[in-house]
Every structure is written in C-alpha cells, then in structure tokens.
Amino acid sequence: MEPDWEGPLGEAYARAMTYLQNLPERPVGASAAASELRRRLGGELPQGPGNPTQIIEALADGVEGGLVATGSARFFGFVIGGATPASLAADWLATVWDQNAGLYAAAPAAAVVEEIAAEWLVELFGLPEQTSVGFVTGGQMANFTALAAARYDVLRKAGWDVEADGLIGAPAIRVLVGAERHDTVDRALRFLGLGTRCMVPIAVDGQGRMRPDALAPELGQGPTIVCAQAGNVNTGAIDPLDDICELTTDAWVHVDGAFGLWSTVGTPIRGIAKADSWATDAHKWLNVPYDSGLVFTAHPEAHRAAMSVRASYLIHDAEKRDPLDYNPEFSRRARGIAVYAAIRALGRSGIVELVDRCCAMASRFAEQLREAGADVLNDVTLNQVLVRFGDDDLTRRVVTAVQQEGTAWASGTTWHGRAAMRISVSNWTTSAIDVDRSVEAITRCVEIEQARSTQG
C-alpha cells in the first residue's frame, strides 16, 4: 500500500502557515489549563491504527491554548530566540531526509554540511583555526562536552587517563567558577562524576563578572578548570576574559557563552580566542529551531578523546569527519543543517545586525521603563534588562500579570536577593513597535497591581 504523505503533511503545512502568519498578533502566553490539555489530548491507549490526517488535525486542535508563542517578537523570556525562514525550512527538510547524523557513512551530506558550518562558526567567533566543533542539543550538553574534554586534558597532564581508568583514585580536580555562573555548569559537573563540591566559587563584581583578583589566589593548586562566562544570564555582563586567560596559564579555561558569545561576531570580546573551550546556543541569537547547541575546543585531540568511540560494526574513514567524535550522542538528527542555512541566509553582516538590534531594543526597554518609574537594576550592555517595580511582592505580581495579559511575556528572577522581571531580547523580528507595545502593557499591569494593593 502506498503511504499517504500528502494528506498529513498538507494538513501540517496548512496549520504551520496559519500559526506563523498569526504569530504577530497571537497572545504570547498559554491560556489552557493542564487539565484541559489532558482532556483534549488524552484518552485510552489506541488499540489500532488511526487516520494520519485526522491525527494531525486533532493534535493541532488539542494543543491550542497550550502553546507559548516563543517565536513571537514580544516573547522576552529565558533568552529564547525565534526561527528565521531559512533555518525553519532547512529544519523541515532535515526531518524529511531523516538522516542519522552520527557517522559520515550513514549521512555523508549531513556530515559535510556540518563540517562547513563548523568552519564558518570558528571564523565568525574568531577562534583558533584548529578549533573542533560539536553540534549538540543546547548549552547544557555544550558545557558537558567541553568540560569532559577539560577533565581529560587536566588529568592527562597529571599522569592519569580518565577515559580508561575512570575517576576512582584520580587526582582531585578543582573547578573555579564565577559566583553567578549558570547552573548548567553545576549540572554538567554532576554528570561528569566530579560533583559540585569540586567547585570553588569566585567572587564577582556588581554586574556578575568574575573578579580576576579573586581568581588569582586559587590558581596553581593541582589540576584546575576555570569556568568563565560570556553573558551573565541576568545582566548580560561578560567576564574579563583577557585578564582571566592571562592568569590561568596552567588551567583549562572554559567559556560558557550561551548567548553572549554571538556578540563577538560584531564587536570582538577581548581575550576570547585565548580560552580552551567555548559553549553557545544556535537556538538563541542565531534564531534556529530547537534544539541546537554548539561546543568548541581549541584542543581537538582532547575533544575526540573524551567523545569518540570505535567499534567493529561501525564504518570509519580517516579522511572523513564523523560527527559522533565531537558530541556525546551516537544517533541524532542532522541539526547542523538548520545552522548552515541560517548562516548562509544571514551572513556575517546579518548576524551582526540581528545582535545589535536586539541590544538596541533592550536599551529602549530600559529607557522607557525607567521613565515610567521602574527600577532598572543592571547596566544594559547586551540584550538583558532587569526591572523591579517597588517591592518583591509587587514585582512578582506584575510578572504574573504580564504573562497572563498576553501582549508580551517576560521571566521572573531573583537577583542579589531581590525579585525582578528579566527581559531578554533575542528574537530576530523584535522591533521598536514591539518594545513600545510591551512597555505599555507592562505599565498597565503595574498600575492595576498597584491599585489592587491600595484597595487591599
């Protein structure tokens, strides 16, 4: 029997186009309760086959109200980007082609596309020419992969082969981390068997940047990894990487640049190329569909030693690049295809314009909210804005109200012990009009919540 591709794919395409075309005016937050979504989508386990087209129809109807419009120009939560037309279309093709992108032998075109995109990324970020690249799910696995390479390298220098002998009996590794690091670093250390007690928090300045004077006394005490940051998740601040790398001649320096690393495409970050590894996300500022993370190391041999595998039933060619040598996954989708398309569509100048515009819109947010009486807590140097409305209670209520009102969506956070709204401008379509509409909605929510406080 010939499969019916046209029915379900045609329905999916029609639903996708309706969703994308309505995205500019769609309420940004979700409105359906979990119980309602379960009622629509649940039921007993199907005991037989169903009609694929009808299943797609029911699925699209069932999720309505349960989707957060993260691709909206007015979604400002969690540093989430949207998806450009080229990257989205390429991602659709990657799904249709359904390549298992672990081995060159199983997916030659996917491997070559990834190799080319990797070369472009190294050039864009100004990293050393020999830098190796892995395409992973996101910043979590990018940090994990880089720190696995770091673990291998610092223990190798101490005379220990961790890949063969494990960690039992190995020299202790100290991991020096900024006090305001992202928690994916902690989680990666747990995954790697190092545990969180190996971490030594290093004092930071008022914007969350690691202080080199606090780092210096902790160096030179055995195998050491330093985790620096390009883009504090709250403030957007970038650690003084030049000074940090100058200090750490005997340590491996890893840079968690989940979103901030993209800023170096236009304005190079001083000292960025002196580090040993870097992590970033393509699904943030490059605006490709989820999931898409990137890991880079200046030491390909350490990268491969930590990740690669050989087996008699696999096909390897020394002249070809096997993607599984650079990431922790064996079988995986060809996520490099969307990255390739995004870079080709934007080019260097397009990426610079995207990042610069997002930063300009963040500054516009800060200026207008400050004029409206809000407290802007951070120096707005990148795309992050921390805003506070009076006290903790009012701030938290305003965050909830904004999310429910629907015009825009922003995250809540706690920074230096105080509640704040965290606005992250990461979408390629966000304009001044979107910022102005969002500020108006936020201001209305503040006024409503203040009135409720007075009445209460």
Side-chain angles (χ1 to χ4, degrees):
M1 185 176 71
E2 289 293 323
D4 174 18
W5 296 115
E6 187 173 350
L9 289 178
E11 180 66 25
Y13 175 79
R15 297 287 188 139
M17 290 306 299
T18 297
Y19 178 83
L20 292 170
Q21 288 166 352
N22 292 340
L23 199 54
E25 296 306 321
R26 181 186 181 92
V28 182
S31 57
S35 58
E36 174 63 14
L37 294 171
R38 291 191 192 98
R39 185 191 66 76
R40 293 188 214 151
L41 297 164
E44 295 182 358
L45 171 69
Q47 297 301 310
N51 181 288
T53 302
Q54 292 175 359
I55 290 167
I56 297 303
E57 290 174 348
L59 174 62
D61 290 339
V63 301
E64 191 57 44
L67 299 176
V68 177
T70 53
S72 168
R74 295 184 304 283
F75 182 85
F76 305 112
F78 307 118
V79 203
I80 292 177
T84 61
S87 67
L88 179 56
D91 200 55
W92 282 3
L93 283 176
T95 299
V96 170
W97 293 333
D98 196 24
Q99 300 292 282
N100 184 336
L103 285 170
Y104 177 92
V112 170
V113 165
E114 204 168 275
E115 185 176 16
I116 294 167
E119 292 170 357
W120 289 347
L121 288 160
V122 168
E123 183 178 347
L124 281 167
F125 293 138
L127 304 181
E129 187 175 349
Q130 80 280 4
T131 296
S132 55
V133 185
F135 291 74
V136 294
T137 53
Q140 176 68 78
M141 295 315 294
N143 281 332
F144 168 86
T145 304
L147 292 173
R151 181 185 67 173
Y152 166 83
D153 195 66
V154 299
L155 288 178
R156 177 189 63 81
K157 291 176 180 176
W160 187 270
D161 184 349
V162 68
E163 308 306 331
D165 299 324
L167 286 170
I168 297 174
I173 296 175
R174 301 172 80 241
V175 182
L176 311 183
V177 297
E180 292 191 15
R181 67 199 172 275
H182 195 276
D183 60 7
T184 52
V185 171
D186 303 45
R187 200 163 178 238
L189 295 173
R190 287 165 43 203
F191 293 168
L192 289 165
L194 295 174
T196 54
R197 287 199 179 98
C198 75
M199 294 189 300
V200 179
I202 304 299
V204 297
D205 66 14
Q207 294 297 308
R209 290 178 286 254
M210 185 187 292
R211 285 173 37 199
D213 64 318
L215 173 66
E218 299 293 344
L219 296 168
Q221 301 180 40
T224 302
I225 301 168
V226 177
C227 289
Q229 191 167 221
N232 180 287
V233 73
N234 280 308
T235 67
I238 295 173
D239 286 347
L241 299 178
D242 200 31
D243 295 338
I244 289 169
C245 291
E246 287 296 318
L247 285 171
T248 53
T249 54
D250 296 327
W252 178 292
V253 179
H254 171 63
V255 178
D256 177 8
F259 61 96
L261 190 61
W262 291 98
S263 69
T264 201
V265 177
T267 305
I269 299 170
R270 286 187 58 208
I272 191 70
K274 296 179 182 178
D276 298 286
S277 61
W278 307 262
T280 193
D281 283 316
H283 54 228
K284 287 185 169 64
W285 251 347
L286 189 59
N287 278 245
V288 306
Y290 273 82
D291 50 34
S292 187
L294 302 162
V295 58
F296 306 84
T297 74
H299 310 283
E301 67 286 352
H303 195 165
R304 288 192 298 270
M307 293 292 122
S308 67
V309 66
R310 292 294 181 268
S312 60
Y313 51 83
L314 300 178
I315 300 174
H316 301 285
D317 185 329
E319 301 301 315
K320 308 294 192 304
R321 179 185 185 275
D322 285 324
L324 62 75
D325 287 342
Y326 302 97
N327 70 81
E329 297 169 307
F330 206 123
S331 299
R332 66 173 179 82
R333 74 191 313 273
R335 61 177 62 93
I337 289 173
V339 174
Y340 170 91
I343 296 173
R344 284 209 65 167
L346 289 168
R348 180 188 292 273
S349 63
I351 295 171
V352 171
E353 191 277 332
L354 192 165
V355 171
D356 286 351
R357 179 159 39 83
C358 286
C359 293
M361 293 304 101
S363 295
R364 188 181 184 93
F365 255 120
E367 292 165 8
Q368 293 194 12
L369 288 170
R370 191 180 287 115
E371 289 173 1
D375 295 321
V376 177
L377 304 180
N378 67 313
D379 297 335
V380 182
T381 56
L382 219 56
N383 64 328
Q384 302 293 100
V385 186
L386 282 180
V387 191
R388 183 173 167 85
F389 309 97
D391 58 18
D392 285 356
D393 179 63
L394 178 59
T395 298
R396 293 190 180 107
R397 287 192 286 115
V398 170
V399 170
T400 300
V402 169
Q403 293 174 353
Q404 294 175 346
E405 191 269 347
T407 299
W409 205 100
S411 309
T413 189
T414 300
W415 190 62
H416 294 182
R418 296 185 292 173
M421 174 185 284
R422 181 166 65 108
I423 297 170
S424 304
V425 188
S426 310
N427 191 286
W428 67 286
T429 62
T430 300
S431 67
I433 293 173
D434 293 305
V435 173
D436 296 349
R437 283 184 61 184
S438 300
V439 169
E440 289 173 3
I442 292 169
T443 303
R444 285 197 306 272
C445 289
V446 172
E447 292 171 351
I448 291 169
E449 294 305 318
Q450 284 175 332
R452 286 177 178 167
S453 296
T454 303
Q455 293 168 0

